Amino acid sequence: SALSYNSSTGVITSAYEESPTFTGDVVFNSTGSIKISAGTTAQRPSSPSNGMVRYNTTESEYEVYKGSAWLILDSSNYTYSADFLVIAGGGGGSGNSLAGGGGAGGYRTSAGTSGGGASAESSLTFIGGTTYTITVGAGGSGGASGSNGGNSLISGSGLTTITSIGGGSGSNNASAGASGGSGGGSGRDSVNTGGAGTSGQGFAGGTGGGSGNSSSASGGGGAGAVGANAASPWLGGNGGVGVASTITGSSVYRAGGGGGAAYNGRGRDGGTGGNGGGGNGSGNAGTDTTAGTANTGGGGGGGFSSSSGAAGGTGVVILRVATTKYSGTTTGSPTVTTSGGNTIITFNSSGSYTA
């Protein structure tokens, strides 16, 4: 190979004798430029290495190869779309004289069906260089009186905040289920009603039934269906089913409601948690109350006696962006995976993403 320098123009020209990998001019005067390789996405090098820089004519962006992926080089003045799944924390089940199951956390997404039977929402528009805050809601507490789950959010400059509402807690026999993303189930006795769900996020909880020993509690609402009412022969009502999403590349159900409780000394089973992380209600030994599954927003199961309600599951926030756009800048230690041409960023706890 050889380099030749033209003193009158200030140009150094590179010429290779065999298999040239670079052709072009490097100009050292004040009005000059460096010419780098340009081509389509399909024309990228077949065996790239870290540090390679090129101009992608498909994306109309400069890109650099780093850590097994091509990334946008200049992240200051461009926008790109991002799909999302935002699920709040599930409501906790109560536990005092046959309690209802907790409702699932609110379920909002741009990648498939949203909670409450709603359609997909519009994708987000991220601005390069902007940091977006991710808040993952906690599951509601269990015990004698459960609490609602915490909200999950995506927020940042120039963005309409995406907020999913925490699931409503299941109630004891003296009150109705709490409203939330999905409503909590009511305790025993048919005078108690399930809590309401939030439009576009989840369904209502079920209604308790019977009185005295001939009664049972209802299931919490899920993102995909209402919680089941209690009914003779007084088994606990099942939690409402969640919703399946393929945002990560495989189908996963999340945001199922918690099951309601039944008398455990009379051969009766508690309600089963809804598919999507809902906890089981108290009943016979095989169906003792269980908590909602972590990072699904599932509601906690209702309890039979004092302090026996189970906690709701924590929420989750998932982002999906084209791998060519992914910046690699996050906080909060999210799980980062790829599927096809997309990068999926899963936040199981709060953090941030810089576009």
Side-chain angles (χ1 to χ4, degrees):
S1 62
L3 294 174
S4 62
Y5 174 67
N6 187 319
S7 60
S8 63
T9 62
V11 174
I12 296 177
T13 301
S14 174
Y16 289 82
E17 296 175 356
E18 296 182 0
S19 303
T21 57
F22 171 85
T23 60
D25 298 329
V26 181
V27 181
F28 288 97
N29 57 44
S30 61
T31 60
S33 62
I34 299 175
K35 297 173 67 176
I36 67 172
S37 298
T40 66
T41 297
Q43 292 171 327
R44 287 170 172 165
S46 58
S47 300
S49 58
N50 286 339
M52 284 186 172
V53 179
R54 67 192 296 272
Y55 183 77
N56 188 316
T57 57
T58 302
E59 301 288 342
S60 297
E61 298 286 356
Y62 292 98
E63 60 184 4
V64 61
Y65 192 79
K66 176 185 176 183
S68 75
W70 287 99
L71 308 176
I72 297 299
L73 183 60
D74 178 9
S75 61
S76 58
N77 292 301
Y78 72 95
T79 62
Y80 60 91
S81 64
D83 283 314
F84 65 87
L85 173 61
V86 181
I87 303 176
S94 294
N96 187 355
S97 187
L98 294 179
Y107 186 112
R108 297 182 62 180
T109 186
S110 65
T113 303
S114 291
S119 301
E121 300 187 36
S122 298
S123 299
L124 302 175
T125 298
F126 281 169
I127 303 170
T130 301
T131 297
Y132 298 94
T133 300
I134 308 299
T135 303
V136 175
S141 61
S145 296
S147 65
N148 284 17
N151 296 346
S152 291
L153 304 90
I154 303 174
S155 60
S157 177
L159 179 73
T160 299
T161 300
I162 302 295
T163 303
S164 288
I165 306 299
S169 62
S171 73
N172 292 306
N173 67 323
S175 60
S179 297
S182 287
S186 74
R188 54 174 278 192
D189 300 336
S190 57
V191 295
N192 298 324
T193 59
T198 300
S199 177
Q201 299 195 27
F203 286 92
T207 299
S211 62
N213 291 344
S214 297
S215 64
S216 61
S218 65
V226 297
N229 297 336
S232 179
W234 310 119
L235 306 177
N238 294 335
V241 67
V243 172
S245 172
T246 59
I247 192 170
T248 61
S250 58
S251 181
V252 179
Y253 273 88
R254 300 177 180 87
Y263 272 110
N264 60 8
R266 295 179 176 270
R268 299 168 183 164
D269 291 333
T272 300
N275 186 7
N280 296 329
S282 178
N284 286 328
T287 56
D288 284 346
T289 186
T290 57
T293 303
N295 300 123
T296 67
F304 168 73
S305 59
S306 180
S307 300
S308 61
T314 51
V316 65
V317 175
I318 302 175
L319 300 174
R320 183 176 67 189
V321 302
T323 298
T324 56
K325 305 294 187 182
Y326 175 58
S327 71
T329 304
T330 63
T331 66
S333 301
T335 300
V336 180
T337 57
T338 59
S339 176
N342 296 313
T343 292
I344 298 96
I345 313 142
T346 301
F347 289 88
N348 291 319
S349 59
S350 298
S352 68
Y353 172 68
T354 300

